[in-house]
Amino acid sequence: MVETMEAPQGETMEAPQGKTMRLLLLALNCAMLSLGTCGGPLLMRLYFIRGGARVWLSSWLETGGWPIIFVPLAAAYFRRRAAEGPSARLILMDPFLFVASAVIGVLTGLDDYLYAYGVARLPVSTSALLIATQLGFTALFAFLLVRQLFTSYSINSVFLLTMGAGVLAMHSSSDRPKGESNREYYAGFFMTLGAAALYGFILPLVELMYKKAKQAITYSLVLEIQLVMCFFATVFCTIGMLVNKDFQAIPREARKYELGEARYYVVLAWNAIVWQFFFLGAIGVIFYSSSLFSGIVIAVLLPITEILGVICFQEKFQVEKAVSLILSLWGFASYFYGEFKVAKKDKRQPQQLQQQEAEGHQQGLP
């Protein structure tokens, strides 16, 4: 279900008025989110399995492509200038949004590190199943932060997703990569769960920021917010790289990379680009729909990511992964069915109200 962000009195959400244009822009952002959700983990895992070992570097790449955002920002500014003349503002963001975006950016940087650590230790198919629990965390924090209502179906979905992660935890030994200790595997396992929980908190936090803003939230402003978030996330990861001396290690690692030195830098560059699509798509979907719908899109794509991991890297697909996948798909189906019923009920209520008003009006006639 595509949920619109209903604006209470005093709220300042803005979006394209045309329903067709809104749906087209939502579809575009879903496409970018899809590319990042499926392509990002595969490229990151490719870096690690071919000789890469710098976790802070990988986390840096998740948001290091933030200068790409200047391209759509520049286009948006020149469009405003053509419409408004020299009075068009270059920067739309006010101090509240800047500070809020900076704080969320630091949290995003921490989430980047947790996720990169997990991908370094786990097969893509396993990490994708663990990240599927993000939908449950998103639903929980959306309820706490933006009053997104729980239903019996969403509670069932959270339970099933949790069970899926539990199945993987109980049968981890057969999935552990060669040469990796139990301690390293479980560290990656719980780091990935932590990443799912933290990003499940970040998505509703972004929506809350939109709701609390004291200025109109346009898509141009959303791009500025994303720029600030990615910049501060990158600063956070840059500090980690400096402490871990990753910058000095990059040339040595490139020379020893299995695919060759030139392809090493190509892999890094595409990591940065594809992950930027992920973040742009996620924040765009939140703007044109809701944080919960953004979490749903990510969750739906995770089984595809898992299958791609098995195909691209010849990862094992044991019985426990199949059970976990079935539980995850069951959880998604339960959630979607619940949202469908809520949407159908919401659509029916105005019609019933109009019918009651019409009947009351008819009864009042002589």
Side-chain angles (χ1 to χ4, degrees), residues 62-262:
E62 290 182 60
T63 52
W66 61 268
I68 295 172
I69 305 174
F70 279 119
V71 176
L73 270 177
Y77 170 71
F78 286 119
R79 184 180 177 184
R80 285 200 309 274
R81 188 175 175 85
E84 302 173 17
S87 61
R89 292 174 59 187
L90 178 62
I91 299 174
L92 302 175
M93 182 179 291
D94 65 13
F96 166 78
L97 283 178
F98 179 81
V99 173
S101 300
V103 171
I104 296 174
V106 173
L107 291 175
T108 302
L110 175 59
D111 185 71
D112 291 344
Y113 177 77
L114 294 175
Y115 181 73
Y117 190 97
V119 173
R121 299 288 184 265
L122 305 177
V124 172
S125 52
T126 303
S127 62
L129 285 169
L130 292 174
I131 289 295
T133 60
Q134 178 186 301
L135 178 60
F137 290 114
T138 302
L140 173 63
F141 289 120
F143 169 75
L144 295 174
L145 295 177
V146 293
R147 298 296 183 262
Q148 179 74 48
L149 295 179
F150 264 122
T151 66
S152 59
Y153 298 99
S154 59
I155 293 172
N156 184 53
S157 175
V158 172
F159 173 75
L160 290 168
L161 291 169
T162 304
M163 286 291 292
V167 169
L168 286 179
M170 290 186 294
H171 299 84
S172 61
S173 58
S174 60
D175 188 47
R176 191 173 66 250
K178 292 181 180 179
E180 189 171 289
S181 66
N182 279 330
R183 182 179 178 181
E184 290 174 328
Y185 182 90
Y186 279 113
F189 189 96
F190 289 108
M191 285 283 204
T192 305
L193 277 180
L198 183 54
Y199 202 66
F201 173 69
I202 288 171
L203 290 176
L205 195 61
V206 171
E207 185 175 349
L208 180 65
M209 176 177 63
Y210 289 169
K211 289 178 177 291
K212 296 294 184 181
K214 299 175 182 178
Q215 64 183 113
I217 303 293
T218 63
Y219 192 65
S220 297
L221 183 55
V222 168
L223 290 173
E224 290 185 13
I225 291 170
Q226 181 64 18
L227 180 69
V228 173
M229 286 170 54
C230 285
F231 174 77
F232 277 92
T234 306
V235 169
F236 178 87
C237 295
T238 301
I239 294 172
M241 288 182 68
L242 289 171
V243 172
N244 203 44
K245 298 182 179 180
D246 279 11
F247 288 106
Q248 296 93 316
I250 289 174
R252 295 195 304 270
E253 191 173 75
R255 288 192 293 269
K256 297 178 181 178
Y257 198 62
E258 291 180 15
L259 299 179
E261 186 172 356

Side-chain angles (χ1 to χ4, degrees), residues 129 132-133 157 160-161 164-165 303 323-333:
L129 285 169
T133 60
S157 175
L160 290 168
L161 291 169
V323 172
S324 181
L325 178 59
I326 291 170
L327 288 171
S328 297
L329 292 174
W330 186 4
F332 299 155

